[in-house]
Amino acid sequence: MFRHTRSLVALATLCVIGATYASKGPTPPGPHESERTEAGALAADDHWLRAEVDGDTAFLERMLLPGYRSIGATGVSHSREQIIAGAVKNKDSDAMKEKVAAWRRDDPTEIAVLLHGDIAVVSFYNPALGPDKGVRSSDILVYEDGGWHAVYSQHAAAKSQ
């Protein structure tokens, strides 16, 4: 699922805001990505997904702050370096794009953003369960140096229905 070898659950949650993956080169910046707004946090998180799927390691090196950790649904931690290495494997491959498309089709997900100053919590949840009972994944972003950067992610094995 990329972002470091996450479980399929985590892959899916991030895929819901992903755009069409047709490019083979570095992913372009999304609209509003540098804005200190909910839209900016969402655009940066979306670009993050595209960068993992497309193998855009230059973007990931900027997006993921030193010390970044992602905790999978099983409690296993993945480092910034592991996530970047996983993205390298996705470059010039359609396998991850196909997994993302299948997950998006089979697992509808909605997004909630909590913005507090320079911190954004982007949560992905099962719409059938709502944002209070069906959270599948959350990314914590901090706004600094004119853009959003990831400091931590947590994934859960939320029920599908």
Side-chain angles (χ1 to χ4, degrees):
M1 164 141 87
F2 51 105
R3 206 173 266 180
H4 26 267
T5 58
R6 286 184 175 176
S7 68
L8 193 54
V9 169
L11 159 68
T13 59
L14 297 175
C15 297
V16 295
I17 59 173
T20 305
Y21 303 108
S23 72
K24 292 286 184 185
T27 54
H32 313 294
E33 201 168 304
S34 64
E35 295 177 6
R36 193 175 148 237
T37 63
E38 286 184 21
L42 284 171
D45 207 274
D46 178 53
H47 192 167
W48 178 5
L49 170 64
R50 290 182 284 124
E52 284 194 52
V53 171
D54 292 340
D56 183 357
T57 57
F59 177 81
L60 294 173
E61 288 170 357
R62 289 188 309 273
M63 176 69 177
L64 306 175
L65 291 175
Y68 169 84
R69 288 279 184 247
S70 176
I71 310 302
T74 62
V76 176
S77 175
H78 296 92
S79 70
R80 172 183 189 265
E81 293 73 24
Q82 288 172 307
I83 294 166
I84 293 169
V88 169
K89 294 177 185 176
N90 294 331
K91 190 170 183 133
D92 298 325
S93 169
D94 290 332
M96 185 54 65
K97 293 172 185 154
E98 292 167 7
K99 284 183 184 180
V100 168
W103 199 95
R104 291 176 72 198
R105 180 185 63 246
D106 298 339
D107 296 283
T109 301
E110 291 186 13
I111 305 165
V113 178
L114 171 63
L115 188 63
H116 184 79
D118 292 336
I119 298 171
V121 179
V122 182
S123 296
F124 304 86
Y125 64 92
N126 178 335
L129 299 174
D132 295 325
K133 295 184 180 181
V135 175
R136 294 175 168 149
S137 177
S138 292
D139 295 325
I140 299 175
L141 309 178
V142 62
Y143 190 86
E144 60 183 40
D145 297 327
W148 291 101
H149 304 276
V151 294
Y152 183 83
S153 298
Q154 180 83 39
H155 310 284
K159 297 177 185 176
S160 295
Q161 295 292 336

